[in-house]
Amino acid sequence: MNKRTRVLVVDDESIIRESLRDWLTGAGYEILTAGSGEEALRLVKQKSVKIMLADLIMPGMDGIELMKEARKIVPTISTVIITAHATVQTAITAMREGAHDYIEKPFCPERVELLLKSLLERQELIEENVSLRKRLEARRRAVDAIIARSPRMLSVLELVKTVAPSNATVLILGQSGTGKEVIARAIHRQGRRYHKPLIVTACATLPEGLLESELFGHEKGSFTGAVERTQGKFEAARGGTVFLDEIGEINAKTQIHLLRALEEKKITRIGSNEEIDVDVRVIAATSRDLKAMTESGQFREDLYYRLNVMTIELPPLRERKEDILPLAGHFLRRYAAENEKDVNGFSPELVELMLSYTWPGNVRELENMVERGVILAPGEEITLAEAPHDMAAATPQEGDTIDAVVRNHILKVLRQADGNISEAARILGIQRMTLYNKMKKYDLRADKACV
């Protein structure tokens, strides 16, 4: 129990305030005091107060009125009414109005301390339940929150839902920027280990000599700079998940230790002979061709097969065109809000470019483009003028004209929406009238799209 919980004592009698402050401070609580309801409310606004002891009868604002006002500021605050008029009716009134309990003057300090302990236990249970509900909600929304309209990504998300409840090791393949960490987090949150940590390690960013220590920990003095015993990622994630990003970058020695961790569920810190049991799920990701690396001897074949129990391959953004505009709209809303700018759309020319561009940086490049556009846009739309030069100078892919790419994309979306113009406009992230104009330009009819 956290005994440093802040408690506010409100009483117009200084001797009551000081007595409670001295006693409860000695018992380990942090005590604030106020001589009136008005002063108490100022403290509630300024400080993080969990429990309030308030005198029932005070000049001006009484204890029950104070309790009601305090709850408007901090809905979870627990209030105990102090009364010198300890009648049954007083207690009933206080409890009916929302007080958690009451104490009589003169009161026994031990009784107050026991009451605070009980209230703290109750609050901890409430907070734990709130936290659990938030985790459950995050778990439920983990996959649903991923923006996907394309058939390939929808298949990926179905596979995530299937794989997540198991304890199987998962290997996520995909180009840089395709969202491998997003998928790893969705697997963790949908799985049985969602209430335990997800520990992320970016293998490509750590020097060879430090990666092994980062993953498995080290003992004091085991190498230069090891000034104390340090826990590794596998220990920190006990019961949870370790996500190893860019697994293809780890060296041969670390590959051996990782294979042992996967096969035997045991690790050994650098500089130690003690075996440590670790119960973790491993999710790995790479943008490299691990199969080819095993054939060339760069990556252990036995480790490859141990990692490759379940494989999820993420398509590049250019192969999931149906997702480009919904993703762009999502990033637009986020960065417009973050930058407090009234930017709410893309110019038709930029939409056409986004749909024809090859996106070598994938979703990450799209996000960066939208963030840049929001910052630079002088009006309500992001235009070609705000697009990065290399993107604006790009030619349409595979010999297609921009018009052909846009026409085919609109046709696909119209079919997906069963010819419903409003639904198609929503998927495309544009206004109905804009879609009508596009359909007229490209000679498209909603009733023919589904034929």
Side-chain angles (χ1 to χ4, degrees):
M1 183 181 297
N2 179 14
K3 278 290 194 91
R4 294 307 300 171
T5 299
R6 189 172 289 150
V7 178
L8 175 58
V9 176
V10 190
D11 200 299
D12 60 322
E13 296 183 54
S14 60
I15 190 169
I16 300 293
R17 297 196 304 271
E18 291 165 7
S19 297
L20 280 171
R21 181 192 61 202
D22 294 345
W23 178 272
L24 295 176
T25 299
Y29 294 94
E30 181 181 348
I31 304 301
L32 302 174
T33 63
S36 68
E38 291 76 13
E39 183 184 356
L41 288 179
R42 286 195 294 271
L43 288 172
V44 170
K45 289 177 182 177
Q46 296 168 4
K47 307 289 185 179
S48 177
V49 177
K50 284 194 171 185
I51 298 175
M52 180 170 65
L53 306 178
D55 192 15
L56 177 63
I57 306 299
M58 293 185 292
M61 186 182 298
D62 66 22
I64 292 179
E65 186 181 355
L66 168 60
M67 174 182 65
K68 292 177 181 178
E69 293 300 315
R71 278 208 305 264
K72 294 177 183 178
I73 302 168
V74 182
T76 57
I77 195 168
S78 296
T79 303
V80 177
I81 294 295
I82 304 171
T83 177
H85 310 279
T87 65
V88 173
Q89 188 57 46
T90 300
I92 290 174
T93 301
M95 303 290 276
R96 186 172 59 236
E97 295 292 344
H100 291 84
D101 213 325
Y102 74 100
I103 53 176
E104 310 167 28
K105 295 180 184 178
F107 44 75
C108 171
E110 287 87 353
R111 147 91 168 135
V112 177
E113 192 175 343
L114 285 172
L115 184 55
L116 290 183
K117 181 180 178 182
S118 173
L119 288 175
L120 279 176
E121 289 173 348
R122 176 184 177 277
Q123 284 206 342
E124 286 176 357
L125 283 173
I126 292 172
E127 290 168 2
E128 185 177 332
N129 286 335
V130 170
S131 176
L132 178 60
R133 283 198 297 272
K134 287 181 179 178
R135 290 200 303 269
L136 287 170
E137 179 64 15
R139 181 187 185 194
R140 185 186 67 79
R141 296 179 58 191
V143 173
D144 295 339
I146 297 174
I147 295 172
R149 303 283 189 274
S150 63
R152 287 190 65 181
M153 275 306 294
L154 291 174
S155 296
V156 166
L157 298 188
E158 284 303 312
L159 184 55
V160 167
K161 290 178 181 178
T162 301
V163 168
S166 73
N167 277 318
T169 302
V170 181
L171 180 61
I172 305 173
L173 306 175
Q175 295 178 4
S176 177
T178 49
K180 296 186 289 294
E181 184 174 337
V182 172
I183 295 298
R185 291 184 180 279
I187 292 171
H188 173 72
R189 288 174 183 159
Q190 287 277 307
R192 288 177 290 187
R193 298 171 181 264
Y194 73 95
H195 59 292
K196 295 291 186 178
L198 169 67
I199 305 294
V200 177
T201 301
C203 300
T205 64
L206 293 167
E208 285 191 2
L210 289 181
L211 180 57
E212 187 178 353
S213 169
E214 184 79 6
L215 292 177
F216 308 117
H218 61 259
E219 297 291 334
K220 180 179 180 180
S222 57
F223 55 84
T224 303
V227 296
E228 61 182 359
R229 171 186 283 183
T230 300
Q231 189 181 70
K233 301 291 190 183
F234 273 75
E235 285 184 82
R238 274 180 173 168
T241 304
V242 173
F243 174 53
L244 304 175
D245 195 15
E246 292 303 340
I247 190 72
E249 304 300 324
I250 66 175
N251 61 37
K253 183 181 177 185
T254 306
Q255 288 179 35
I256 294 172
H257 291 299
L258 178 58
L259 178 63
R260 180 167 177 263
L262 289 169
E263 289 185 336
E264 303 177 20
K265 304 292 184 183
K266 295 180 185 294
I267 62 165
T268 304
R269 296 193 193 105
I270 296 175
S272 172
N273 294 318
E274 177 189 358
E275 291 185 335
I276 302 169
D277 293 326
V278 286
D279 171 29
V280 299
R281 182 184 196 175
V282 172
I283 301 175
T286 183
S287 57
R288 302 184 66 178
D289 185 346
L290 284 192
K291 182 64 175 175
M293 292 177 68
T294 63
E295 293 170 355
S296 65
Q298 295 174 274
F299 201 85
R300 292 181 64 97
E301 188 174 30
D302 48 4
L303 177 57
Y304 170 70
Y305 287 117
R306 179 61 66 175
L307 289 169
N308 195 28
V309 177
M310 295 297 303
T311 303
I312 296 177
E313 187 167 358
L314 300 185
L317 187 57
R318 65 179 175 274
E319 294 178 10
R320 42 182 292 209
K321 288 184 178 295
E322 297 91 339
D323 299 332
I324 292 174
L325 294 183
L327 282 166
H330 167 73
F331 295 136
L332 177 66
R333 289 186 292 275
R334 177 200 297 176
Y335 289 113
E338 285 185 9
N339 291 279
E340 298 181 351
K341 292 195 67 175
D342 188 20
V343 182
N344 53 36
F346 305 95
S347 70
E349 296 77 17
L350 182 56
V351 168
E352 293 180 359
L353 178 59
M354 286 193 290
L355 291 174
S356 64
Y357 184 57
T358 59
W359 297 107
N362 294 294
V363 179
R364 186 180 296 121
E365 183 182 7
L366 174 63
E367 180 176 0
N368 291 345
M369 185 277 290
V370 175
E371 182 179 14
R372 166 195 168 98
V374 168
I375 293 169
L376 296 178
E380 295 184 355
E381 283 189 338
I382 302 175
T383 69
L384 282 176
E386 288 79 57
H389 176 72
D390 54 350
M391 178 183 171
T395 56
Q397 59 177 319
E398 300 172 357
D400 289 340
T401 65
I402 288 179
D403 279 349
V405 170
V406 175
R407 186 183 190 281
N408 288 337
H409 180 65
I410 292 175
L411 185 59
K412 282 183 182 179
V413 173
L414 282 168
R415 287 171 177 164
Q416 180 183 341
D418 292 327
N420 185 306
I421 301 295
S422 296
E423 175 65 9
R426 185 190 66 77
I427 294 172
L428 289 166
I430 59 178
Q431 299 294 321
R432 280 170 53 95
M433 188 53 65
T434 302
L435 178 55
Y436 276 123
N437 291 336
K438 293 286 183 188
M439 291 171 65
K440 182 178 180 181
K441 175 181 177 181
Y442 297 123
D443 192 27
L444 292 172
R445 288 175 53 186
D447 58 338
K448 298 292 186 182
C450 301
V451 176

Tab-separated table of all heavy atoms in Angstrom, residues 418-442:
chain	number	residue	atom	x	y	z
A	418	ASP	N	-20.207	-1.560	-53.098
A	418	ASP	CA	-21.429	-2.009	-53.790
A	418	ASP	C	-22.159	-0.857	-54.475
A	418	ASP	O	-23.398	-0.806	-54.498
A	418	ASP	CB	-22.379	-2.712	-52.810
A	418	ASP	CG	-21.817	-4.032	-52.311
A	418	ASP	OD1	-21.096	-4.696	-53.089
A	418	ASP	OD2	-22.083	-4.381	-51.157
A	419	GLY	N	-21.394	0.081	-55.002
A	419	GLY	CA	-21.974	1.193	-55.737
A	419	GLY	C	-22.519	2.313	-54.877
A	419	GLY	O	-23.065	3.288	-55.400
A	420	ASN	N	-22.358	2.215	-53.544
A	420	ASN	CA	-22.860	3.254	-52.644
A	420	ASN	C	-21.901	4.452	-52.677
A	420	ASN	O	-20.750	4.343	-52.214
A	420	ASN	CB	-22.977	2.688	-51.222
A	420	ASN	CG	-23.608	3.665	-50.257
A	420	ASN	OD1	-23.157	4.797	-50.123
A	420	ASN	ND2	-24.649	3.220	-49.578
A	421	ILE	N	-22.366	5.581	-53.202
A	421	ILE	CA	-21.501	6.749	-53.384
A	421	ILE	C	-20.983	7.281	-52.046
A	421	ILE	O	-19.803	7.614	-51.903
A	421	ILE	CB	-22.257	7.874	-54.141
A	421	ILE	CG1	-22.725	7.377	-55.507
A	421	ILE	CG2	-21.361	9.103	-54.292
A	421	ILE	CD1	-21.622	7.040	-56.467
A	422	SER	N	-21.866	7.381	-51.060
A	422	SER	CA	-21.471	7.914	-49.752
A	422	SER	C	-20.397	7.036	-49.112
A	422	SER	O	-19.403	7.534	-48.567
A	422	SER	CB	-22.683	8.020	-48.823
A	422	SER	OG	-23.620	8.940	-49.337
A	423	GLU	N	-20.595	5.710	-49.186
A	423	GLU	CA	-19.631	4.792	-48.598
A	423	GLU	C	-18.302	4.846	-49.348
A	423	GLU	O	-17.227	4.841	-48.743
A	423	GLU	CB	-20.194	3.359	-48.614
A	423	GLU	CG	-19.241	2.285	-48.127
A	423	GLU	CD	-18.863	2.413	-46.658
A	423	GLU	OE1	-19.474	3.245	-45.954
A	423	GLU	OE2	-17.944	1.687	-46.230
A	424	ALA	N	-18.356	4.917	-50.661
A	424	ALA	CA	-17.135	5.000	-51.459
A	424	ALA	C	-16.366	6.284	-51.150
A	424	ALA	O	-15.131	6.267	-51.013
A	424	ALA	CB	-17.473	4.933	-52.944
A	425	ALA	N	-17.087	7.397	-51.000
A	425	ALA	CA	-16.431	8.667	-50.664
A	425	ALA	C	-15.784	8.589	-49.284
A	425	ALA	O	-14.675	9.109	-49.074
A	425	ALA	CB	-17.450	9.807	-50.715
A	426	ARG	N	-16.467	7.906	-48.345
A	426	ARG	CA	-15.898	7.759	-47.000
A	426	ARG	C	-14.601	6.950	-47.041
A	426	ARG	O	-13.598	7.319	-46.430
A	426	ARG	CB	-16.901	7.060	-46.081
A	426	ARG	CG	-16.455	6.974	-44.629
A	426	ARG	CD	-17.359	6.058	-43.819
A	426	ARG	NE	-17.252	4.670	-44.260
A	426	ARG	CZ	-16.226	3.877	-43.938
A	426	ARG	NH1	-15.245	4.326	-43.192
A	426	ARG	NH2	-16.193	2.627	-44.371
A	427	ILE	N	-14.610	5.841	-47.792
A	427	ILE	CA	-13.414	5.002	-47.910
A	427	ILE	C	-12.270	5.787	-48.555
A	427	ILE	O	-11.116	5.699	-48.129
A	427	ILE	CB	-13.720	3.733	-48.725
A	427	ILE	CG1	-14.720	2.847	-47.966
A	427	ILE	CG2	-12.445	2.957	-49.026
A	427	ILE	CD1	-15.236	1.663	-48.775
A	428	LEU	N	-12.611	6.581	-49.566
A	428	LEU	CA	-11.585	7.353	-50.274
A	428	LEU	C	-11.111	8.568	-49.474
A	428	LEU	O	-10.063	9.138	-49.768
A	428	LEU	CB	-12.135	7.824	-51.624
A	428	LEU	CG	-12.331	6.733	-52.690
A	428	LEU	CD1	-13.195	7.247	-53.826
A	428	LEU	CD2	-10.974	6.275	-53.226
A	429	GLY	N	-11.904	8.974	-48.491
A	429	GLY	CA	-11.537	10.133	-47.687
A	429	GLY	C	-11.773	11.451	-48.396
A	429	GLY	O	-11.058	12.434	-48.155
A	430	ILE	N	-12.778	11.482	-49.300
A	430	ILE	CA	-13.082	12.713	-50.030
A	430	ILE	C	-14.572	13.014	-49.910
A	430	ILE	O	-15.357	12.179	-49.457
A	430	ILE	CB	-12.681	12.606	-51.523
A	430	ILE	CG1	-13.425	11.442	-52.198
A	430	ILE	CG2	-11.177	12.458	-51.665
A	430	ILE	CD1	-13.114	11.288	-53.683
A	431	GLN	N	-14.980	14.218	-50.333
A	431	GLN	CA	-16.378	14.613	-50.300
A	431	GLN	C	-17.153	13.915	-51.425
A	431	GLN	O	-16.598	13.558	-52.472
A	431	GLN	CB	-16.509	16.135	-50.457
A	431	GLN	CG	-15.820	16.931	-49.362
A	431	GLN	CD	-16.470	16.719	-48.010
A	431	GLN	OE1	-17.699	16.635	-47.916
A	431	GLN	NE2	-15.657	16.621	-46.970
A	432	ARG	N	-18.482	13.750	-51.207
A	432	ARG	CA	-19.331	13.124	-52.235
A	432	ARG	C	-19.232	13.870	-53.569
A	432	ARG	O	-19.116	13.243	-54.630
A	432	ARG	CB	-20.797	13.115	-51.774
A	432	ARG	CG	-21.147	12.002	-50.809
A	432	ARG	CD	-22.545	12.236	-50.244
A	432	ARG	NE	-23.536	12.419	-51.304
A	432	ARG	CZ	-24.299	11.445	-51.798
A	432	ARG	NH1	-24.167	10.210	-51.332
A	432	ARG	NH2	-25.185	11.675	-52.748
A	433	MET	N	-19.265	15.219	-53.516
A	433	MET	CA	-19.234	15.985	-54.755
A	433	MET	C	-17.907	15.798	-55.493
A	433	MET	O	-17.872	15.714	-56.726
A	433	MET	CB	-19.456	17.482	-54.459
A	433	MET	CG	-19.625	18.333	-55.717
A	433	MET	SD	-20.917	17.692	-56.843
A	433	MET	CE	-22.366	17.923	-55.803
A	434	THR	N	-16.823	15.686	-54.722
A	434	THR	CA	-15.521	15.430	-55.351
A	434	THR	C	-15.533	14.091	-56.067
A	434	THR	O	-15.030	13.949	-57.185
A	434	THR	CB	-14.403	15.435	-54.286
A	434	THR	OG1	-14.420	16.696	-53.612
A	434	THR	CG2	-13.041	15.228	-54.932
A	435	LEU	N	-16.143	13.079	-55.412
A	435	LEU	CA	-16.225	11.761	-56.044
A	435	LEU	C	-17.092	11.815	-57.299
A	435	LEU	O	-16.746	11.213	-58.332
A	435	LEU	CB	-16.778	10.736	-55.050
A	435	LEU	CG	-16.963	9.309	-55.590
A	435	LEU	CD1	-15.661	8.780	-56.182
A	435	LEU	CD2	-17.455	8.385	-54.472
A	436	TYR	N	-18.215	12.526	-57.243
A	436	TYR	CA	-19.062	12.666	-58.429
A	436	TYR	C	-18.269	13.271	-59.594
A	436	TYR	O	-18.367	12.820	-60.738
A	436	TYR	CB	-20.276	13.549	-58.121
A	436	TYR	CG	-21.431	12.822	-57.484
A	436	TYR	CD1	-21.950	13.236	-56.255
A	436	TYR	CD2	-22.024	11.727	-58.117
A	436	TYR	CE1	-23.014	12.567	-55.657
A	436	TYR	CE2	-23.101	11.058	-57.536
A	436	TYR	CZ	-23.588	11.483	-56.307
A	436	TYR	OH	-24.634	10.818	-55.729
A	437	ASN	N	-17.496	14.308	-59.284
A	437	ASN	CA	-16.706	14.962	-60.327
A	437	ASN	C	-15.671	14.009	-60.915
A	437	ASN	O	-15.425	14.001	-62.134
A	437	ASN	CB	-16.017	16.210	-59.768
A	437	ASN	CG	-17.002	17.308	-59.432
A	437	ASN	OD1	-18.112	17.355	-59.987
A	437	ASN	ND2	-16.620	18.200	-58.513
A	438	LYS	N	-15.043	13.204	-60.042
A	438	LYS	CA	-14.060	12.231	-60.519
A	438	LYS	C	-14.731	11.182	-61.412
A	438	LYS	O	-14.177	10.775	-62.449
A	438	LYS	CB	-13.388	11.538	-59.333
A	438	LYS	CG	-12.507	12.441	-58.496
A	438	LYS	CD	-11.217	12.744	-59.221
A	438	LYS	CE	-10.299	13.597	-58.347
A	438	LYS	NZ	-9.124	14.057	-59.102
A	439	MET	N	-15.899	10.716	-60.980
A	439	MET	CA	-16.610	9.696	-61.759
A	439	MET	C	-16.996	10.242	-63.130
A	439	MET	O	-16.918	9.528	-64.144
A	439	MET	CB	-17.847	9.229	-60.990
A	439	MET	CG	-17.511	8.415	-59.740
A	439	MET	SD	-18.961	8.089	-58.702
A	439	MET	CE	-19.938	7.056	-59.813
A	440	LYS	N	-17.382	11.511	-63.156
A	440	LYS	CA	-17.730	12.136	-64.442
A	440	LYS	C	-16.498	12.243	-65.328
A	440	LYS	O	-16.541	11.948	-66.526
A	440	LYS	CB	-18.335	13.512	-64.187
A	440	LYS	CG	-18.786	14.238	-65.451
A	440	LYS	CD	-19.433	15.581	-65.110
A	440	LYS	CE	-19.884	16.295	-66.373
A	440	LYS	NZ	-20.495	17.620	-66.075
A	441	LYS	N	-15.372	12.629	-64.701
A	441	LYS	CA	-14.127	12.793	-65.450
A	441	LYS	C	-13.692	11.465	-66.071
A	441	LYS	O	-13.224	11.426	-67.220
A	441	LYS	CB	-13.038	13.335	-64.528
A	441	LYS	CG	-11.664	13.422	-65.178
A	441	LYS	CD	-10.624	13.956	-64.199
A	441	LYS	CE	-9.238	13.964	-64.829
A	441	LYS	NZ	-8.197	14.464	-63.889
A	442	TYR	N	-13.838	10.387	-65.288
A	442	TYR	CA	-13.333	9.085	-65.749
A	442	TYR	C	-14.436	8.202	-66.333
A	442	TYR	O	-14.219	7.000	-66.550
A	442	TYR	CB	-12.642	8.365	-64.599
A	442	TYR	CG	-11.427	9.108	-64.084
A	442	TYR	CD1	-11.350	9.474	-62.735
A	442	TYR	CD2	-10.383	9.449	-64.932
A	442	TYR	CE1	-10.247	10.164	-62.250
A	442	TYR	CE2	-9.282	10.134	-64.469
A	442	TYR	CZ	-9.215	10.493	-63.131
A	442	TYR	OH	-8.129	11.161	-62.663
